[in-house]
Amino acid sequence: MSEHDLRIGLVGAGRMGGDHARRIHERISGARLVAVGDPDADRAEQVAASVPGARSHGDPYEVISSSDVDALVIASPGVVHEPLLLAAIERGIPVLCEKPLTPDSTSSLRVLEAEQAGGKRLVQVGFMRRFDPEHVELRELLRSGALGRALVLHCAHRNPSSPPGFTSEMMIFDSVVHEFDTVRWLVGEEIRAVSVRRPRTTSAAPAGLADPQLVTIETTGGVVADVEIFVNCGFGYQVRCEAVCEHGTALAGAAGGLRVHGTAGWGGRIDADFSERFATAFDREFQRWADAARTGGVDPDAASAWDGYAAAAACEAGVRAQSEGTTEVRLVERPGFYA
Amino acid sequence: MSEHDLRIGLVGAGRMGGDHARRIHERISGARLVAVGDPDADRAEQVAASVPGARSHGDPYEVISSSDVDALVIASPGVVHEPLLLAAIERGIPVLCEKPLTPDSTSSLRVLEAEQAGGKRLVQVGFMRRFDPEHVELRELLRSGALGRALVLHCAHRNPSSPPGFTSEMMIFDSVVHEFDTVRWLVGEEIRAVSVRRPRTTSAAPAGLADPQLVTIETTGGVVADVEIFVNCGFGYQVRCEAVCEHGTALAGAAGGLRVHGTAGWGGRIDADFSERFATAFDREFQRWADAARTGGVDPDAASAWDGYAAAAACEAGVRAQSEGTTEVRLVERPGFYA
Amino acid sequence: MSEHDLRIGLVGAGRMGGDHARRIHERISGARLVAVGDPDADRAEQVAASVPGARSHGDPYEVISSSDVDALVIASPGVVHEPLLLAAIERGIPVLCEKPLTPDSTSSLRVLEAEQAGGKRLVQVGFMRRFDPEHVELRELLRSGALGRALVLHCAHRNPSSPPGFTSEMMIFDSVVHEFDTVRWLVGEEIRAVSVRRPRTTSAAPAGLADPQLVTIETTGGVVADVEIFVNCGFGYQVRCEAVCEHGTALAGAAGGLRVHGTAGWGGRIDADFSERFATAFDREFQRWADAARTGGVDPDAASAWDGYAAAAACEAGVRAQSEGTTEVRLVERPGFYA
Amino acid sequence: MSEHDLRIGLVGAGRMGGDHARRIHERISGARLVAVGDPDADRAEQVAASVPGARSHGDPYEVISSSDVDALVIASPGVVHEPLLLAAIERGIPVLCEKPLTPDSTSSLRVLEAEQAGGKRLVQVGFMRRFDPEHVELRELLRSGALGRALVLHCAHRNPSSPPGFTSEMMIFDSVVHEFDTVRWLVGEEIRAVSVRRPRTTSAAPAGLADPQLVTIETTGGVVADVEIFVNCGFGYQVRCEAVCEHGTALAGAAGGLRVHGTAGWGGRIDADFSERFATAFDREFQRWADAARTGGVDPDAASAWDGYAAAAACEAGVRAQSEGTTEVRLVERPGFYA
């Protein structure tokens, strides 16, 4: 084994966990997957078997406590994130935790408190758009001041179809949670209020799912962002963000790529899903996290536990706004630890 | 004089009136401008002098009562539209009236009543987007059902700068009024409710003007449209409408045209103002109106007095919504006359 | 009849003649069609019947000699253009002659000589791209010097399918003739040499037609233009021109318009044919010609008889180049009359 | 050291060598750089110092003969490729050799013979466009037959400025060599003939450099490709390829990415250079090469020594064509070894 390699443990062996195992093995240099844990031991075994040198555990906590695990990736369902995160913080190892940090802001706050008590930044949340080249370019453009201050953001977030069991609430805390983070990160302000409007529902939506929805976000500095979330659009995966500023607008996520002219007209392909659209973002996120973890630091551009908490609080407001109209977001004072 | 030519009278000799005089003279076949009326007699004279065979009147009502005027174009300020329209209806001549029909729905209703009392459709309102090739193509696509039902519309309406004296209220009844008509015309439903949100204001806005604003429109069938109105965007004129449907989306108004690659990057020009962006729409609107007027009919695709009234009612709701939150639109029952 | 109206005679009542009759009637202000001539008297009658106030002649020369014909439009086949043009020049009336001026440069020269002998510029050739907004914008950009000198032009000219009887030679003198004029007009230089290359032929081409072809044009100043002519491309009508200059490139004719995202991907519609793509150009061309003709002048931006001659000479070189390789273009000295 | 890692030696420590060292260290998983060789020992030392665990050699052949080097990357000037390749083949280790294989087809043939004599495919040539996602998508589309057979290719290859000492001949064997490979790879046919045309030269070109040039390529099956090579275009780096097929066209390399609307118009950024445009292609190329090398195989999609030889032969024809007109490409019979 190379003395330079970061030895990674993975908790969660579902679709996302399997993707991440492959990513670490095939795309991430300077890091190696050594252990995979999942309560479904067969699934853990299957993922571990696909990576030379990796072993499996039926108990995820055995992965966290393994002395040869230098860093942890959490890809299990959000409801079990809190104890896993607390265990990793307790052991003092860096964690890349898939979003959400935890499913509600109260439990998110407990994670922040544990991290602060440990005295060292260890938690990164998987908001991978922060590594998407176009989103990065958009943020740099906004920060440069070339277009003046941002005033309005128009976001659209479309999936071809929703997975079984997807609920109207999940459209907020599973999907719009990305826009909550994107808006905060692009604008550099917290979210003050959220409201939700429900247009008529597409006939492609499963019974009971109000799809699409329009979410309006206001930041503490008065930026207003509207978000179309549409999880049964049928035709592909699209994530788009247009910033309207004082002296111009900038659009990330417009279709580019190969263009074909044929009997059907002219045009191009639409990405099939997020793993295609954000392949580079995921790779960069993991690579930079592994690089930082090897040297005991955190990636300053990545989403911290604070960012995960702020997103959880906005989601809670969004879910309330689905029934109650515009809802304020409630945040604790930001600890200096996360400045 | 050709017996086939439609003899047009023009009331209002400001910028719009001057544009329309030139349009009738240079672009519209089968029609001729014979009289121009404006209380500012010098201005009327100036416009008349630019068109061979046209005379001027300091009293606009002399234009309307002239026996050689077969049809009327109204391009004066909205506050004087009502009596001019009533006079033209009284004389029984077709009118192409620049938007708005009248500035409020109560006076609009009086125009509808007069037109119905006359027993003949005479009034067309100048919502020229109904003649813009891309908007027409968008509407045909929606009507074809190829993309399923429309669920959401995203509209943006940007001007480089606002004229002197432009108020926050005028952003609704002078600017968003176009989107009110566009949404009604594209979706084929009346507007049920309007709400308005004010993001932080651009530093380029004159004191007291809340610019940009986000207007949300709900139709009777549950379509939700968001409209960004931004009248001091600085960089050009843009009108964009994206329809999000059950099986796809369609976008009208994206930048096309000449593309340049140079040291500043790649891209194209943005239209300077509405007269450039909608030059073809204005020409088609006038041509089709003149063609219908010559044969005593109305253009079924154009905006009628009912459409002008419905827009006025939506504007009133929009202005109230600026201070009161979401506001219902109140309409009388649609008369069969306008079916 | 209005004393201001230009009374137009039309010779040629085929598809193009019918289009132009409609255009004059419906779109061109200040002008009226009074006579239609075609050796096929039925066809002439049919076109004349569609325009109130127009009569038909079975002898085209009767149209030209009619005292109430102020100006002539020629839309007959190129092989009969010469005598028609000479008759119109003899009578001293302005002519808008569909391209080509005449089918060969020797006969074109005779037209030039007649026009010069008459002492007055009367002939305009129907190269309507000179009125296409994007081509006009491209030319202005080149003239502005903002991108430095033009070095290379890449042109593509595609038709969905070729009409019956279309030959490899016609691909030069009927199709590429437009690019010959476009290159001359954009660059402001004569064409020095032409060469032709034949790639493998599409299976959609009729037997004997070498389609597509690549034509390379060199101007007197050393600009090289490549032209893809492809008349059975199947999918639509496209005319594209990219100018490669010292400090940048500019592209006219890229697909714009309505964009749709659906299950087939994203994209837009392709124009079906030239009458759709160049509708505005045709209208502007006719309007400006009629305006100039009414006042006894010529449109300085339009194609003159000299431009028609130069195109004929380039076509001859192109046809020779199909078999002989690179071929020089032979031109007489440009008369000051056409300066 | 991990038993699974491929231990790579690098020869050539210039700009490209430095880039590749960084790439292997930071982006390529399952592989490690262990040795860097360059006759300029300081330069070798500098590159080696940037990668933990790598050492330097002033004699490149020491790298090739090191027993801990499993595979070789050659990034030295093309003139020294032949002996380096022969030494690596002699040792039986896989080589990823930057283009060109060798600077002329005679020496390329000697490399092919050595590789065949060794009985095992070891050489991959660095034509990284074969890994560019859009080029890959274009090739798959062509192979699918959805657009019918390819007939014509339009290629443009632009650099902001040429490096010192760049000659007209280098525009062929250093730049157009990429298009020679792209055309062969996309069409699946060898190149039969090459011709070159020189438009007037940009004022930005250094004295003596004929820039831009237009290269025309014909394949054995009759496809014609035109290539604009322009190495002092000033404004950015662009590589574009449009395939014109029997039933449609497809364009790779059109500008996508972030779009900005501002006072200068609308548009986006142009890549600064090839390392930005082809970053993903380089990464994929190296990763797949390392994966294949670890298991003793070759990447079937990558460019082989035969592909390097064919490109060299086309370059020779191209350089002759600069002075002699259209020139045939001469190839030996393709050995079954490279089938």
Side-chain angles (χ1 to χ4, degrees), chain D residues 7-81:
Chain D
R7 296 165 302 175
I8 297 176
L10 167 69
V11 169
R15 176 187 165 181
M16 203 59 138
D19 271 7
H20 288 338
R22 205 163 27 251
R23 188 179 322 280
I24 294 163
H25 177 47
E26 292 172 6
R27 309 269 312 151
I28 306 305
S29 76
R32 259 166 321 106
L33 185 70
V34 294
V36 180
D38 197 296
D40 180 337
D42 287 350
R43 210 159 68 162
E45 172 52 29
Q46 211 170 343
V47 168
S50 71
V51 179
R55 67 180 180 275
S56 69
H57 297 265
D59 177 0
Y61 292 92
E62 285 181 18
V63 172
I64 301 176
S65 59
S66 294
S67 63
D68 69 344
V69 165
D70 302 325
L72 188 70
V73 169
I74 299 180
S76 5
V79 290
V80 302
H81 282 188

Side-chain angles (χ1 to χ4, degrees), chain A residues 158 234-236 238 240 255-259 261-270, chain C residues 158 234-236 238 240 255-259 261-270:
Chain A
R158 296 168 186 153
F235 57 80
Q238 293 184 316
R240 201 176 61 193
L258 186 70
R259 291 191 196 177
H261 290 236
T263 44
W266 70 276
R269 212 170 46 79
I270 303 174
Chain C
R158 295 167 187 155
F235 57 80
Q238 292 184 317
R240 201 176 60 191
L258 186 71
R259 292 193 193 176
H261 290 236
T263 44
W266 69 277
R269 211 170 46 80
I270 302 174

Side-chain angles (χ1 to χ4, degrees), chain A residues 280-336:
Chain A
T280 303
F282 275 117
D283 288 346
R284 291 191 185 183
E285 179 189 40
F286 269 67
Q287 184 67 58
R288 292 190 52 179
W289 170 73
D291 291 348
R294 256 189 302 178
T295 58
V298 292
D299 180 353
D301 295 331
S304 67
W306 172 261
D307 297 312
Y309 160 70
C315 283
E316 290 173 340
V319 171
R320 284 199 310 274
Q322 287 182 322
S323 49
E324 296 169 22
T326 304
T327 305
E328 306 285 313
V329 174
R330 290 184 286 263
L331 290 178
V332 300
E333 188 79 11
R334 185 172 184 147

Side-chain angles (χ1 to χ4, degrees), chain A residues 183-208:
Chain A
V183 170
R184 294 179 62 250
W185 174 70
L186 286 176
V187 175
E189 295 171 4
E190 293 295 348
I191 293 171
R192 195 183 64 70
V194 176
S195 66
V196 179
R197 202 175 295 266
R198 297 184 175 183
R200 65 188 179 197
T201 292
T202 180
S203 54

Side-chain angles (χ1 to χ4, degrees), chain A residues 27 62 92 96 136 167 243 292:
Chain A
R27 308 268 314 151
E62 285 181 19
L96 174 48
V136 169
T167 65

